[in-house]
Amino acid sequence: MIAYSEVWAFTNTPGQGNRAGVVLEAADLSDAEMQALAAYLDAPETVFVIRRGDGRMRVRYFTPTQEVEFCGHATVALGLTLAQAGQWAGEALELETLSGRVPLRLISEAGVPAQVWMRQRRHESRLLPSTLRGPLSEALGINDRMIHRGLPLAVASSGLWSAFVPLLDAVILDGLEPDFPAIEALCRELEVSSLYAYTPMGVNRFAARDFAPLLGIPEDPVTGSAAGALMGLLAHHGRLPVRVGRAVGVIYQGHAVGSPGEVEVEIEVQDTRVLAVHVGGCAVLDREGHWRP
């Protein structure tokens, strides 16, 4: 029997944010068994701990249909689960993922684990040509005049590649009518995992929706990896206020699917160069169970 936990990340309320499966003892599971358990839990992602030692932990991430290189919300869920199980007290801890090494930081309040922060992998980005506004807007079910011209239309990654489409306001964002086959085709063409629509809510606050049918996830409620990539992209293009080499912001996501959550992001910046992307949030345990391979 394999023990697992179901955890809601980027929220303090069960049933909100984004659900993740967490398996702390997966060393003896085969690839097929990990995939089967991820399908059984049917969370957007499940994280499996494969090996531990010397302040490091090798992990793998699976959606219900396939393995992915990295997942932000499952990483936050893992950190909270480890802390609540008494297996991590905030000492140096680094995850070994398929996308690289991800250091974790635990924040506790009055001795109670409150937030998990991760330093994501090196930020990369490239702008998309304006000729893609038409296909991208059609895939989202909007007119291309609803795309924001003052914010970057680009692909970026700090763990997983996504295409970022800026929209004029939250009304447009909430009213999207995604064409999932078209989105999947565009993601294949652009070699990205998802199409991430976003809109400004303030100088450093943004609302977003993330569509990832290519990964078997029509709409991901709250996406930590993409939130970090977006804020890095905005900092790189001078669209975030920077003080003493740091830009901070918040992403609101999940409202459109009835599962709201918040992702906090801190970017280390030198001029326009992104030095590091830090993503953090809270999480709450929903339930625990056992699965027989």
Side-chain angles (χ1 to χ4, degrees):
M1 299 288 282
I2 304 299
Y4 64 81
S5 300
E6 293 184 62
V7 180
W8 294 90
F10 298 123
T11 181
N12 280 319
T13 305
Q16 297 186 6
N18 204 352
R19 185 168 62 96
V22 179
V23 181
L24 297 182
E25 302 292 340
D28 296 329
L29 291 180
S30 67
D31 290 8
E33 288 170 335
M34 284 186 278
Q35 185 63 77
L37 178 48
Y40 168 76
L41 293 176
D42 199 31
E45 276 91 6
T46 296
V47 57
F48 296 86
V49 177
I50 307 301
R51 186 179 63 242
R52 310 188 197 196
D54 299 326
R56 289 185 180 175
M57 194 171 285
R58 185 185 172 204
V59 300
R60 295 173 68 179
Y61 304 91
F62 286 80
T63 75
T65 63
Q66 62 190 281
E67 185 172 12
V68 293
E69 292 183 349
F70 179 70
C71 173
H73 85 274
T75 298
V76 169
L78 170 62
L80 176 94
T81 302
L82 289 167
Q84 290 191 340
Q87 299 182 26
W88 182 39
E91 64 273 16
L93 177 61
E94 187 175 74
L95 303 185
E96 296 177 354
T97 77
L98 291 179
S99 70
R101 294 178 176 175
V102 179
L104 298 189
R105 177 165 55 97
L106 178 66
I107 295 178
S108 297
E109 297 177 358
V112 178
Q115 279 193 327
V116 175
W117 281 76
M118 69 194 98
R119 174 172 173 163
Q120 297 185 341
R121 54 158 281 180
R122 182 173 63 91
H123 187 269
E124 303 174 84
S125 68
R126 64 179 186 275
L127 292 174
L128 291 174
S130 59
T131 53
L132 281 175
R133 287 176 185 155
L136 288 167
S137 60
E138 287 180 13
L140 292 172
I142 58 174
N143 188 287
D144 67 359
R145 288 176 295 180
M146 297 176 178
I147 293 180
H148 199 304
R149 268 43 175 190
L151 293 171
L153 176 72
V155 296
S157 170
S158 58
L160 287 178
W161 285 92
S162 294
F164 294 91
V165 183
L167 304 179
L168 289 173
D169 58 43
V171 174
I172 297 171
L173 182 72
D174 290 343
L176 294 178
E177 297 181 358
D179 179 338
F180 292 112
I183 291 174
E184 183 171 342
L186 280 168
C187 287
R188 289 188 188 279
E189 177 186 341
L190 298 173
E191 299 181 331
V192 297
S193 297
S194 71
L195 195 160
Y196 192 92
Y198 70 99
T199 191
M201 302 292 286
V203 293
N204 63 346
R205 297 178 295 116
F206 296 83
R209 295 178 67 180
D210 190 32
F211 305 104
L214 192 60
L215 302 181
I217 307 169
E219 181 166 357
D220 195 37
V222 191
T223 317
S225 57
L230 171 62
M231 298 300 272
L233 174 69
L234 294 169
H236 174 64
H237 286 276
R239 297 298 187 270
L240 288 178
V242 177
R243 295 182 179 178
V244 198
R246 291 183 180 266
V248 298
V250 178
I251 303 289
Y252 304 101
Q253 194 184 338
H255 295 77
V257 292
S259 190
E262 297 182 10
V263 184
E264 297 183 39
V265 184
E266 182 177 289
I267 309 294
E268 296 180 35
V269 187
Q270 185 177 65
D271 298 321
T272 61
R273 187 162 63 96
V274 176
L275 302 180
V277 176
H278 304 270
V279 173
C282 50
V284 59
L285 176 66
D286 187 12
R287 69 185 189 95
E288 298 174 314
H290 290 82
W291 178 80
R292 185 184 298 277

mmCIF file of all heavy atoms in Angstrom, residues 73-110:
data_model
loop_
_atom_site.group_PDB
_atom_site.id
_atom_site.type_symbol
_atom_site.label_atom_id
_atom_site.label_comp_id
_atom_site.label_asym_id
_atom_site.label_seq_id
_atom_site.Cartn_x
_atom_site.Cartn_y
_atom_site.Cartn_z
ATOM 1 N N HIS A 73 2.801 24.319 -8.126
ATOM 2 C CA HIS A 73 1.866 24.149 -7.010
ATOM 3 C C HIS A 73 2.096 22.828 -6.286
ATOM 4 O O HIS A 73 1.941 22.737 -5.066
ATOM 5 C CB HIS A 73 0.408 24.292 -7.485
ATOM 6 C CG HIS A 73 -0.216 23.059 -8.042
ATOM 7 N ND1 HIS A 73 -0.094 22.690 -9.359
ATOM 8 C CD2 HIS A 73 -0.985 22.109 -7.461
ATOM 9 C CE1 HIS A 73 -0.763 21.563 -9.562
ATOM 10 N NE2 HIS A 73 -1.315 21.190 -8.433
ATOM 11 N N ALA A 74 2.506 21.775 -7.017
ATOM 12 C CA ALA A 74 2.812 20.507 -6.358
ATOM 13 C C ALA A 74 4.069 20.629 -5.495
ATOM 14 O O ALA A 74 4.193 19.951 -4.465
ATOM 15 C CB ALA A 74 2.989 19.399 -7.394
ATOM 16 N N THR A 75 4.992 21.504 -5.881
ATOM 17 C CA THR A 75 6.196 21.728 -5.079
ATOM 18 C C THR A 75 5.843 22.404 -3.756
ATOM 19 O O THR A 75 6.343 22.026 -2.688
ATOM 20 C CB THR A 75 7.202 22.572 -5.874
ATOM 21 O OG1 THR A 75 7.578 21.851 -7.061
ATOM 22 C CG2 THR A 75 8.447 22.862 -5.053
ATOM 23 N N VAL A 76 4.972 23.404 -3.802
ATOM 24 C CA VAL A 76 4.503 24.049 -2.569
ATOM 25 C C VAL A 76 3.770 23.032 -1.697
ATOM 26 O O VAL A 76 3.961 22.973 -0.476
ATOM 27 C CB VAL A 76 3.596 25.250 -2.909
ATOM 28 C CG1 VAL A 76 2.882 25.765 -1.659
ATOM 29 C CG2 VAL A 76 4.420 26.368 -3.537
ATOM 30 N N ALA A 77 2.930 22.205 -2.327
ATOM 31 C CA ALA A 77 2.196 21.176 -1.577
ATOM 32 C C ALA A 77 3.150 20.186 -0.922
ATOM 33 O O ALA A 77 2.945 19.768 0.230
ATOM 34 C CB ALA A 77 1.233 20.450 -2.514
ATOM 35 N N LEU A 78 4.198 19.801 -1.630
ATOM 36 C CA LEU A 78 5.189 18.876 -1.078
ATOM 37 C C LEU A 78 5.878 19.485 0.138
ATOM 38 O O LEU A 78 6.034 18.821 1.181
ATOM 39 C CB LEU A 78 6.226 18.526 -2.146
ATOM 40 C CG LEU A 78 7.459 17.764 -1.665
ATOM 41 C CD1 LEU A 78 7.084 16.410 -1.071
ATOM 42 C CD2 LEU A 78 8.471 17.597 -2.801
ATOM 43 N N GLY A 79 6.305 20.746 0.027
ATOM 44 C CA GLY A 79 6.988 21.389 1.145
ATOM 45 C C GLY A 79 6.128 21.433 2.389
ATOM 46 O O GLY A 79 6.589 21.128 3.501
ATOM 47 N N LEU A 80 4.863 21.793 2.233
ATOM 48 C CA LEU A 80 3.967 21.842 3.386
ATOM 49 C C LEU A 80 3.769 20.451 3.980
ATOM 50 O O LEU A 80 3.761 20.281 5.204
ATOM 51 C CB LEU A 80 2.614 22.414 3.000
ATOM 52 C CG LEU A 80 1.626 22.388 4.161
ATOM 53 C CD1 LEU A 80 1.632 23.709 4.903
ATOM 54 C CD2 LEU A 80 0.220 22.029 3.720
ATOM 55 N N THR A 81 3.607 19.437 3.138
ATOM 56 C CA THR A 81 3.393 18.077 3.624
ATOM 57 C C THR A 81 4.591 17.592 4.419
ATOM 58 O O THR A 81 4.449 16.982 5.490
ATOM 59 C CB THR A 81 3.111 17.132 2.442
ATOM 60 O OG1 THR A 81 1.969 17.610 1.720
ATOM 61 C CG2 THR A 81 2.843 15.722 2.924
ATOM 62 N N LEU A 82 5.791 17.855 3.909
ATOM 63 C CA LEU A 82 7.006 17.475 4.631
ATOM 64 C C LEU A 82 7.077 18.169 5.986
ATOM 65 O O LEU A 82 7.406 17.548 7.007
ATOM 66 C CB LEU A 82 8.243 17.832 3.800
ATOM 67 C CG LEU A 82 8.515 16.987 2.559
ATOM 68 C CD1 LEU A 82 9.562 17.668 1.695
ATOM 69 C CD2 LEU A 82 8.988 15.584 2.958
ATOM 70 N N ALA A 83 6.766 19.479 6.014
ATOM 71 C CA ALA A 83 6.844 20.236 7.264
ATOM 72 C C ALA A 83 5.823 19.732 8.278
ATOM 73 O O ALA A 83 6.140 19.550 9.465
ATOM 74 C CB ALA A 83 6.645 21.719 6.982
ATOM 75 N N GLN A 84 4.600 19.493 7.827
ATOM 76 C CA GLN A 84 3.570 19.047 8.754
ATOM 77 C C GLN A 84 3.809 17.621 9.239
ATOM 78 O O GLN A 84 3.356 17.255 10.326
ATOM 79 C CB GLN A 84 2.195 19.156 8.087
ATOM 80 C CG GLN A 84 1.737 20.594 7.890
ATOM 81 C CD GLN A 84 0.290 20.699 7.482
ATOM 82 O OE1 GLN A 84 -0.304 19.749 6.994
ATOM 83 N NE2 GLN A 84 -0.298 21.865 7.679
ATOM 84 N N ALA A 85 4.537 16.827 8.443
ATOM 85 C CA ALA A 85 4.855 15.461 8.859
ATOM 86 C C ALA A 85 6.101 15.411 9.740
ATOM 87 O O ALA A 85 6.526 14.328 10.153
ATOM 88 C CB ALA A 85 5.064 14.582 7.628
ATOM 89 N N GLY A 86 6.677 16.580 10.046
ATOM 90 C CA GLY A 86 7.875 16.628 10.875
ATOM 91 C C GLY A 86 9.122 16.177 10.158
ATOM 92 O O GLY A 86 10.134 15.862 10.796
ATOM 93 N N GLN A 87 9.102 16.168 8.817
ATOM 94 C CA GLN A 87 10.245 15.714 8.038
ATOM 95 C C GLN A 87 11.059 16.860 7.453
ATOM 96 O O GLN A 87 12.029 16.634 6.741
ATOM 97 C CB GLN A 87 9.765 14.788 6.914
ATOM 98 C CG GLN A 87 9.072 13.542 7.425
ATOM 99 C CD GLN A 87 8.645 12.613 6.305
ATOM 100 O OE1 GLN A 87 9.237 12.603 5.220
ATOM 101 N NE2 GLN A 87 7.620 11.808 6.543
ATOM 102 N N TRP A 88 10.647 18.089 7.728
ATOM 103 C CA TRP A 88 11.397 19.265 7.279
ATOM 104 C C TRP A 88 11.095 20.411 8.227
ATOM 105 O O TRP A 88 9.943 20.790 8.401
ATOM 106 C CB TRP A 88 11.009 19.627 5.846
ATOM 107 C CG TRP A 88 11.760 20.797 5.274
ATOM 108 C CD1 TRP A 88 13.079 21.099 5.454
ATOM 109 C CD2 TRP A 88 11.229 21.821 4.437
ATOM 110 N NE1 TRP A 88 13.414 22.237 4.771
ATOM 111 C CE2 TRP A 88 12.301 22.700 4.131
ATOM 112 C CE3 TRP A 88 9.960 22.064 3.900
ATOM 113 C CZ2 TRP A 88 12.129 23.826 3.317
ATOM 114 C CZ3 TRP A 88 9.788 23.188 3.082
ATOM 115 C CH2 TRP A 88 10.860 24.054 2.799
ATOM 116 N N ALA A 89 12.143 20.944 8.843
ATOM 117 C CA ALA A 89 11.967 22.022 9.813
ATOM 118 C C ALA A 89 12.458 23.362 9.286
ATOM 119 O O ALA A 89 12.577 24.330 10.039
ATOM 120 C CB ALA A 89 12.696 21.678 11.113
ATOM 121 N N GLY A 90 12.759 23.419 7.991
ATOM 122 C CA GLY A 90 13.212 24.676 7.403
ATOM 123 C C GLY A 90 14.686 24.696 7.078
ATOM 124 O O GLY A 90 15.196 25.713 6.578
ATOM 125 N N GLU A 91 15.397 23.595 7.331
ATOM 126 C CA GLU A 91 16.803 23.549 6.951
ATOM 127 C C GLU A 91 16.937 23.550 5.428
ATOM 128 O O GLU A 91 15.964 23.367 4.706
ATOM 129 C CB GLU A 91 17.475 22.295 7.539
ATOM 130 C CG GLU A 91 16.941 20.972 7.021
ATOM 131 C CD GLU A 91 15.746 20.463 7.788
ATOM 132 O OE1 GLU A 91 15.119 21.237 8.537
ATOM 133 O OE2 GLU A 91 15.434 19.256 7.607
ATOM 134 N N ALA A 92 18.161 23.770 4.935
ATOM 135 C CA ALA A 92 18.394 23.827 3.496
ATOM 136 C C ALA A 92 17.879 22.550 2.832
ATOM 137 O O ALA A 92 18.194 21.440 3.251
ATOM 138 C CB ALA A 92 19.881 24.007 3.208
ATOM 139 N N LEU A 93 17.063 22.732 1.794
ATOM 140 C CA LEU A 93 16.495 21.597 1.071
ATOM 141 C C LEU A 93 16.419 21.955 -0.403
ATOM 142 O O LEU A 93 15.901 23.010 -0.773
ATOM 143 C CB LEU A 93 15.098 21.261 1.603
ATOM 144 C CG LEU A 93 14.360 20.123 0.887
ATOM 145 C CD1 LEU A 93 15.134 18.820 0.999
ATOM 146 C CD2 LEU A 93 12.949 19.963 1.445
ATOM 147 N N GLU A 94 16.947 21.069 -1.238
ATOM 148 C CA GLU A 94 16.977 21.300 -2.677
ATOM 149 C C GLU A 94 16.336 20.118 -3.389
ATOM 150 O O GLU A 94 16.683 18.963 -3.128
ATOM 151 C CB GLU A 94 18.421 21.482 -3.145
ATOM 152 C CG GLU A 94 18.572 21.886 -4.589
ATOM 153 C CD GLU A 94 20.023 22.155 -4.942
ATOM 154 O OE1 GLU A 94 20.788 21.178 -5.057
ATOM 155 O OE2 GLU A 94 20.406 23.326 -5.103
ATOM 156 N N LEU A 95 15.392 20.410 -4.274
ATOM 157 C CA LEU A 95 14.759 19.370 -5.061
ATOM 158 C C LEU A 95 15.519 19.162 -6.360
ATOM 159 O O LEU A 95 15.917 20.125 -7.022
ATOM 160 C CB LEU A 95 13.307 19.733 -5.386
ATOM 161 C CG LEU A 95 12.359 20.019 -4.223
ATOM 162 C CD1 LEU A 95 10.946 20.230 -4.752
ATOM 163 C CD2 LEU A 95 12.385 18.904 -3.192
ATOM 164 N N GLU A 96 15.703 17.900 -6.724
ATOM 165 C CA GLU A 96 16.264 17.563 -8.031
ATOM 166 C C GLU A 96 15.097 17.193 -8.940
ATOM 167 O O GLU A 96 14.433 16.178 -8.737
ATOM 168 C CB GLU A 96 17.251 16.398 -7.913
ATOM 169 C CG GLU A 96 18.473 16.727 -7.073
ATOM 170 C CD GLU A 96 19.400 15.526 -6.919
ATOM 171 O OE1 GLU A 96 19.028 14.418 -7.374
ATOM 172 O OE2 GLU A 96 20.489 15.704 -6.355
ATOM 173 N N THR A 97 14.840 18.035 -9.943
ATOM 174 C CA THR A 97 13.725 17.816 -10.860
ATOM 175 C C THR A 97 14.265 17.624 -12.271
ATOM 176 O O THR A 97 15.452 17.866 -12.543
ATOM 177 C CB THR A 97 12.762 19.008 -10.848
ATOM 178 O OG1 THR A 97 13.318 20.083 -11.615
ATOM 179 C CG2 THR A 97 12.494 19.501 -9.426
ATOM 180 N N LEU A 98 13.394 17.246 -13.179
ATOM 181 C CA LEU A 98 13.816 17.086 -14.569
ATOM 182 C C LEU A 98 14.183 18.412 -15.209
ATOM 183 O O LEU A 98 14.877 18.438 -16.239
ATOM 184 C CB LEU A 98 12.706 16.409 -15.378
ATOM 185 C CG LEU A 98 12.419 14.944 -15.054
ATOM 186 C CD1 LEU A 98 11.281 14.416 -15.924
ATOM 187 C CD2 LEU A 98 13.668 14.081 -15.246
ATOM 188 N N SER A 99 13.732 19.523 -14.629
ATOM 189 C CA SER A 99 14.069 20.832 -15.183
ATOM 190 C C SER A 99 15.245 21.486 -14.459
ATOM 191 O O SER A 99 15.628 22.606 -14.782
ATOM 192 C CB SER A 99 12.853 21.763 -15.121
ATOM 193 O OG SER A 99 12.569 22.132 -13.792
ATOM 194 N N GLY A 100 15.818 20.822 -13.473
ATOM 195 C CA GLY A 100 16.949 21.367 -12.739
ATOM 196 C C GLY A 100 16.715 21.342 -11.239
ATOM 197 O O GLY A 100 15.726 20.784 -10.756
ATOM 198 N N ARG A 101 17.618 21.948 -10.501
ATOM 199 C CA ARG A 101 17.542 21.963 -9.049
ATOM 200 C C ARG A 101 16.712 23.146 -8.553
ATOM 201 O O ARG A 101 16.857 24.262 -9.048
ATOM 202 C CB ARG A 101 18.943 22.007 -8.447
ATOM 203 C CG ARG A 101 19.732 20.720 -8.732
ATOM 204 C CD ARG A 101 21.132 20.779 -8.176
ATOM 205 N NE ARG A 101 21.828 19.506 -8.391
ATOM 206 C CZ ARG A 101 23.103 19.285 -8.093
ATOM 207 N NH1 ARG A 101 23.837 20.271 -7.567
ATOM 208 N NH2 ARG A 101 23.652 18.112 -8.313
ATOM 209 N N VAL A 102 15.864 22.873 -7.574
ATOM 210 C CA VAL A 102 14.930 23.879 -7.055
ATOM 211 C C VAL A 102 15.075 23.951 -5.535
ATOM 212 O O VAL A 102 14.590 23.075 -4.818
ATOM 213 C CB VAL A 102 13.476 23.526 -7.430
ATOM 214 C CG1 VAL A 102 12.521 24.574 -6.858
ATOM 215 C CG2 VAL A 102 13.313 23.404 -8.938
ATOM 216 N N PRO A 103 15.760 24.981 -5.009
ATOM 217 C CA PRO A 103 15.862 25.143 -3.554
ATOM 218 C C PRO A 103 14.526 25.583 -2.954
ATOM 219 O O PRO A 103 13.808 26.393 -3.547
ATOM 220 C CB PRO A 103 16.920 26.232 -3.393
ATOM 221 C CG PRO A 103 17.621 26.322 -4.719
ATOM 222 C CD PRO A 103 16.586 25.954 -5.729
ATOM 223 N N LEU A 104 14.222 25.069 -1.752
ATOM 224 C CA LEU A 104 12.993 25.425 -1.045
ATOM 225 C C LEU A 104 13.314 26.204 0.225
ATOM 226 O O LEU A 104 14.368 26.017 0.839
ATOM 227 C CB LEU A 104 12.197 24.174 -0.664
ATOM 228 C CG LEU A 104 11.687 23.262 -1.781
ATOM 229 C CD1 LEU A 104 10.754 22.213 -1.196
ATOM 230 C CD2 LEU A 104 11.003 24.052 -2.870
ATOM 231 N N ARG A 105 12.375 27.053 0.606
ATOM 232 C CA ARG A 105 12.493 27.824 1.843
ATOM 233 C C ARG A 105 11.158 27.758 2.571
ATOM 234 O O ARG A 105 10.093 27.944 1.969
ATOM 235 C CB ARG A 105 12.868 29.276 1.522
ATOM 236 C CG ARG A 105 12.944 30.209 2.707
ATOM 237 C CD ARG A 105 13.663 31.496 2.326
ATOM 238 N NE ARG A 105 13.066 32.144 1.179
ATOM 239 C CZ ARG A 105 12.194 33.149 1.240
ATOM 240 N NH1 ARG A 105 11.789 33.600 2.437
ATOM 241 N NH2 ARG A 105 11.710 33.708 0.153
ATOM 242 N N LEU A 106 11.203 27.482 3.872
ATOM 243 C CA LEU A 106 10.000 27.369 4.687
ATOM 244 C C LEU A 106 9.849 28.601 5.560
ATOM 245 O O LEU A 106 10.798 29.031 6.218
ATOM 246 C CB LEU A 106 10.071 26.123 5.568
ATOM 247 C CG LEU A 106 8.897 25.872 6.518
ATOM 248 C CD1 LEU A 106 7.621 25.579 5.739
ATOM 249 C CD2 LEU A 106 9.227 24.728 7.479
ATOM 250 N N ILE A 107 8.646 29.173 5.581
ATOM 251 C CA ILE A 107 8.331 30.282 6.475
ATOM 252 C C ILE A 107 7.299 29.790 7.483
ATOM 253 O O ILE A 107 6.241 29.269 7.098
ATOM 254 C CB ILE A 107 7.789 31.488 5.692
ATOM 255 C CG1 ILE A 107 8.882 32.047 4.773
ATOM 256 C CG2 ILE A 107 7.275 32.566 6.648
ATOM 257 C CD1 ILE A 107 8.423 33.213 3.926
ATOM 258 N N SER A 108 7.619 29.923 8.761
ATOM 259 C CA SER A 108 6.707 29.515 9.823
ATOM 260 C C SER A 108 6.252 30.728 10.616
ATOM 261 O O SER A 108 6.975 31.726 10.728
ATOM 262 C CB SER A 108 7.389 28.512 10.764
ATOM 263 O OG SER A 108 7.721 27.319 10.069
ATOM 264 N N GLU A 109 5.048 30.654 11.145
ATOM 265 C CA GLU A 109 4.497 31.699 11.997
ATOM 266 C C GLU A 109 4.110 31.083 13.330
ATOM 267 O O GLU A 109 3.300 30.150 13.368
ATOM 268 C CB GLU A 109 3.278 32.343 11.327
ATOM 269 C CG GLU A 109 3.614 33.058 10.022
ATOM 270 C CD GLU A 109 2.387 33.622 9.338
ATOM 271 O OE1 GLU A 109 1.274 33.424 9.872
ATOM 272 O OE2 GLU A 109 2.540 34.244 8.276
ATOM 273 N N ALA A 110 4.736 31.569 14.398
ATOM 274 C CA ALA A 110 4.512 31.023 15.747
ATOM 275 C C ALA A 110 4.770 29.512 15.773
ATOM 276 O O ALA A 110 4.058 28.761 16.422
ATOM 277 C CB ALA A 110 3.097 31.337 16.224
#
